[in-house]
Amino acid sequence: DIQMTQSPSSLSASVGDRVTITCRASQGLGSWLAWYQQKPGKAPKLLIYAVSRLQSGVPSRFSGSGSGTDFTLTISSLQPEDFAIYYCQQVSSFPYTFGQGTSLEIK
Amino acid sequence: QVQLQESGPGLVKPSETLSLTCTVSGDSMKSYYWTWIRQSPGKGLELIGYIFDNKSPSYNPSLSSRVTISIDTSKNQFSLKMTSVTAADTAVYYCAREGITTAVSLDYWGQGTLVTVSS
């Protein structure tokens, strides 16, 4: 299975900050990477697919980039509703696997 | 608006079979892949498997000996059965849809249902 490693595991930031979360895969993924946001007691929500494509309805302050094995999710200006856990998922090779999550907390 | 809703027992005894159903509303089930995922504190998010129309399902090899996924498009439902459960199978179970335009990513999810394995 492809291993997905996110860093950091947790992050404290303030409203208005620019934040970057990194996801590293154990082998190359091409463009087959997605990012999800999960709030307490809720299902994950798709933010970005195919590395950099914004899912419909997701604010443009979210962006994704990367290639090969290294990918990033950037939030350009944190809003109060962005404090949540973020997961990357590789969909290059079955079984599709998730990162362990990055918890974004209010400073 | 597409909606998915999991249903089934919240408590299953060790060694018994876990059975869950996902009911889909707001769209046809045809032309989509339908997926089961679970989330536990110990293992995080884990893909269990998926099914497309009436094709053969695909299962995570780590669970394949115990899992069956089936679909009934006439009822707009798909189901999960997991045999010989242990405490390690305690998790929140989600059903989800793989979007046609979202490059295999999961664009709609159910709210999740907690299944506890305990005697």
Side-chain angles (χ1 to χ4, degrees):
Chain A
D1 297 2
I2 296 178
Q3 308 274 16
M4 305 298 292
T5 304
Q6 290 182 232
S7 59
S9 295
S10 64
L11 175 59
S12 293
S14 301
V15 172
D17 283 354
R18 179 183 180 91
V19 165
T20 297
I21 297 169
T22 296
C23 181
R24 175 165 289 175
S26 59
Q27 61 190 74
L29 304 180
S31 295
W32 300 102
L33 183 102
W35 290 95
Y36 299 85
Q37 175 195 65
Q38 187 176 32
K39 295 184 178 179
K42 301 292 188 183
K45 172 189 171 184
L46 179 63
L47 297 176
I48 287 173
Y49 63 94
V51 177
S52 59
R53 300 194 178 196
L54 208 60
Q55 171 64 343
S56 176
V58 174
S60 59
R61 62 181 180 273
F62 290 91
S63 64
S65 64
S67 64
T69 60
D70 295 315
F71 303 89
T72 58
L73 172 70
T74 299
I75 310 171
S76 60
S77 178
L78 273 174
Q79 298 302 300
E81 60 269 27
D82 299 338
F83 292 94
I85 301 176
Y86 293 85
Y87 295 94
C88 59
Q89 182 201 20
Q90 66 83 15
V91 290
S92 171
S93 173
F94 191 80
Y96 309 137
T97 46
F98 294 84
Q100 82 280 13
T102 294
S103 179
L104 180 50
E105 299 158 352
I106 301 174
K107 184 182 285 184
Chain B
Q1 174 76 345
V2 177
Q3 292 188 317
L4 289 79
Q5 178 69 57
E6 304 90 350
S7 59
L11 180 65
V12 182
K13 290 183 167 55
S15 80
E16 295 191 345
T17 297
L18 177 161
S19 296
L20 296 174
T21 296
C22 182
T23 302
V24 180
S25 59
D27 199 357
S28 167
M29 292 191 75
K30 294 191 181 298
S31 304
Y32 292 100
Y33 287 81
W34 300 95
T35 302
W36 287 99
I37 301 107
R38 67 181 182 179
Q39 185 173 31
S40 62
K43 295 200 76 175
L45 286 161
E46 181 180 31
L47 178 80
I48 298 170
Y50 62 71
I51 191 165
F52 176 81
D53 218 343
N54 277 316
K55 303 284 193 294
S56 292
S58 291
Y59 302 125
N60 189 324
S62 68
L63 298 167
S64 61
S65 64
R66 299 193 292 129
V67 167
T68 302
I69 295 175
S70 58
I71 190 168
D72 186 342
T73 54
S74 68
K75 294 183 178 178
N76 264 33
Q77 293 178 334
F78 65 109
S79 299
L80 169 70
K81 289 190 189 301
M82 182 180 294
T83 61
S84 305
V85 297
T86 70
D89 296 311
T90 293
V92 176
Y93 286 75
Y94 295 100
C95 57
R97 187 187 84 169
E98 204 176 277
I100 289 177
T101 59
T102 57
V104 190
S105 307
L106 300 166
D107 62 352
Y108 286 97
W109 295 61
Q111 65 185 26
T113 187
L114 174 63
V115 177
T116 302
V117 178
S118 175
S119 55

